[in-house]
Amino acid sequence: MDEKLHVVVVNSIDPEAMDILRAVSGDVVVTDAADLARAERNGDSSRSAELDDVLSQADVIYALKLPQRLSERANRLKWIQTISTGVERILTPEIVSSPVVVTNMSGIHEVTIAEFVLMLMLMFVKDAPRSFHQQIEGRFKWFPMDVLTGKTVGIVGFGRIGREVARTVRFFDMRVVAIRRTAEADDVEENVDLLLPLVRLHELLERSDFVVLALPLTDESRNLIGGAELKAMKSTARLINVSRGAIVDEQALIRALQEGSIGGAGLDVFVQEPLPADSPLRRMQNVIFSPHVSGDIAEYDVGAARLFAENLRRYLSGMPLLNVVDKARGY
């Protein structure tokens, strides 16, 4: 009987990250199936039988995206470790209804995302896009600037990323209002002036100069920010989304930006990625957008592998795993 723990990696990772996983224990067999999985995702079924064989041995899968029909192909599967914090691509109905444990990467990129949020806020108050345009166009014309000090940041979603955003903006003496879904009247959080439950979202929107979305995509949060929410914001406020595009009604956001109902948007995520070439968001001067990079750093694969390696050691020793996802809640 094979008593080894078989780990199958179905997305490409850095060679150093793969070495970290293979060094965990002699009782762990790590198989790199990224090329097989990629070929199948791209419509090449010529190696699907080979992928079937690999998946049939999998006790653990390390993935950003899952192969199709995973439950029937991986009947030994006990645990999925995701490469990302967001798990909406992993939590298919078959996985949610199964006994398979899902863990995520929560905790490895809150600092870089918080810095990214701060960068966007500074770019807005210092009107950095205007400087970039002047440089490109060969102009040299004075324009006024603003400051972050004294402004209010509304953070929707107060997990690790939200808490790090709050800690970071405190250095600029900004006021922080935060939403935590289960917050109660007397709850307090470090670096937060006012903590509100989700049902008081509009109060946060009305108070905030910047609204930062830092919550997972679930059935409850999908299209959470729609036309009514955008109208509740100050006309000078900026929306910053570093979570998932579908949390915002994108068409409602486009209309609000076109009409000047809000001051602008800093968007790292979109409903469709890559952002379509004909999207009006690409050409709006009150929008700063980036290609879903706020959580990425050069060492991401290695940091993620170290967290996964720790979880593998815990699994082998019977200890509780880190970052177990509540599959019913979606995070």
Side-chain angles (χ1 to χ4, degrees), residues 10-21:
V10 296
N11 284 88
S12 297
I13 61 173
D14 187 270
E16 183 180 353
M18 187 67 76
D19 290 342
I20 289 170
L21 300 183

Side-chain angles (χ1 to χ4, degrees), residues 27-97:
D27 292 326
V28 176
V29 177
V30 180
T31 301
D32 184 355
D35 289 344
L36 298 176
R38 184 187 308 109
E40 187 173 89
R41 283 196 301 272
N42 292 337
D44 179 2
S45 60
S46 64
R47 303 183 69 187
S48 291
E50 190 177 350
L51 181 58
D52 285 343
D53 289 341
V54 173
L55 293 175
S56 70
Q57 299 299 311
D59 299 300
V60 184
I61 285 181
Y62 189 42
L64 181 64
K65 299 178 181 178
L66 297 179
Q68 296 179 350
R69 301 179 290 104
L70 182 64
S71 292
E72 63 182 82
R73 302 167 86 181
N75 54 20
R76 285 177 41 164
L77 185 63
K78 304 174 185 67
W79 166 30
I80 297 170
Q81 171 71 63
T82 72
I83 299 176
S84 67
T85 297
V87 292
E88 71 277 0
R89 288 175 290 196
I90 299 294
L91 295 182
T92 62
E94 62 177 346
I95 295 301
V96 171
S97 63

